[in-house]
Amino acid sequence: AQTVTQSQPEMSVQEAETVTLSCTYDTSESDYYLFWYKQPPSRQMILVIRQEAYKQQNATENRFSVNFQKAAKSFSLKISDSQLGDAAMYFCAYRSFMYSGGGADGLTFGKGTHLIIQP
Amino acid sequence: DTGVSQNPRHKITKRGQNVTFRCDPISEHNRLYWYRQTLGQGPEFLTYFQNEAQLEKSRLLSDRFSAERPKGSFSTLEIQRTEQGDSAMYLCAASTSGSGTGELFFGEGSRLTVL
């Protein structure tokens, strides 16, 4: 079974600064997806950024970028120019590329990192 | 808007009562998932449907829990004889097979409080 570990329960950053959230995972598979999801208080979980394991290039979405290290099984999220609206819980998640049972078609989540933006 | 709606948003019930939650994805979402999220934790997989077929159930889904997706569209999650340990946020997510993105689209969740 796959596991996802987020070792930072809470992070704080000044507005306009850069912050990096850490995520490591464990898998025996070679093809998979990795995601960062954002969950604002009392609101829907939304996708921030996605990475396919077969792609060597790190994904980027505007102010959000990842550092994907496949051999190290590490997938960190960098948020540049932090804004007050970035305050939320951030979840790292893993999904198998091929459905293989045992809930593997769904997402396996880490415990999350609570990101606080200081004005 | 992710196209996935859930109701009720919040349910308060007494221990021993039955509750039912509903999830409505958009028509293109042939895959539907239920997750449970407790305070300070990430969502945990409960069950998964492809169209109307329930293909996977987590061991977290005890006999008191039942999920259905009768016509491959909306889904219901029923909890019978609720216990205080059932208090959690129940999240519905959906996706389209073959989309190539792997992304799941989430509803806003149904928060259950068992007194």
Side-chain angles (χ1 to χ4, degrees), chain B residues 15-26:
Chain B
R15 189 175 54 188
Q17 298 295 306
N18 299 343
V19 296
T20 299
F21 301 115
R22 177 175 169 132
C23 173
D24 286 87
I26 61 175

Side-chain angles (χ1 to χ4, degrees), chain B:
Chain B
D1 184 10
T2 63
V4 180
S5 60
Q6 292 186 245
N7 65 82
R9 294 289 309 282
H10 195 180
K11 178 72 175 180
I12 301 173
T13 191
K14 292 182 179 179
R15 189 175 54 188
Q17 298 295 306
N18 299 343
V19 296
T20 299
F21 301 115
R22 177 175 169 132
C23 173
D24 286 87
I26 61 175
S27 59
E28 290 83 359
H29 291 156
N30 61 331
R31 292 179 171 176
L32 187 144
Y33 308 78
W34 286 99
Y35 287 84
R36 182 173 70 186
Q37 184 179 21
T38 53
L39 197 62
Q41 301 292 319
E44 296 173 296
F45 171 79
L46 291 179
T47 190
Y48 154 61
F49 291 85
Q50 175 139 336
N51 300 312
E52 66 275 12
Q54 188 174 20
L55 297 186
E56 285 290 331
K57 289 196 293 186
S58 163
R59 60 180 179 274
L60 293 175
L61 214 65
S62 75
D63 291 344
R64 296 184 296 104
F65 287 70
S66 62
E68 294 182 343
R69 195 182 185 198
K71 297 183 180 180
S73 56
F74 73 92
S75 175
T76 58
L77 177 67
E78 181 183 16
I79 309 173
Q80 296 182 326
R81 305 181 303 282
T82 52
E83 301 173 356
Q84 288 185 327
D86 297 331
S87 295
M89 177 76 84
Y90 291 86
L91 296 171
C92 176
S95 71
T96 303
S97 58
S99 68
T101 68
E103 179 181 357
L104 298 191
F105 298 90
F106 285 83
E108 294 184 348
S110 293
R111 181 172 297 283
L112 174 64
T113 301
V114 181
L115 302 176

Side-chain angles (χ1 to χ4, degrees), chain A residues 4 18 53 55 77:
Chain A
V4 177
T18 294
K55 290 185 177 179
L77 174 69

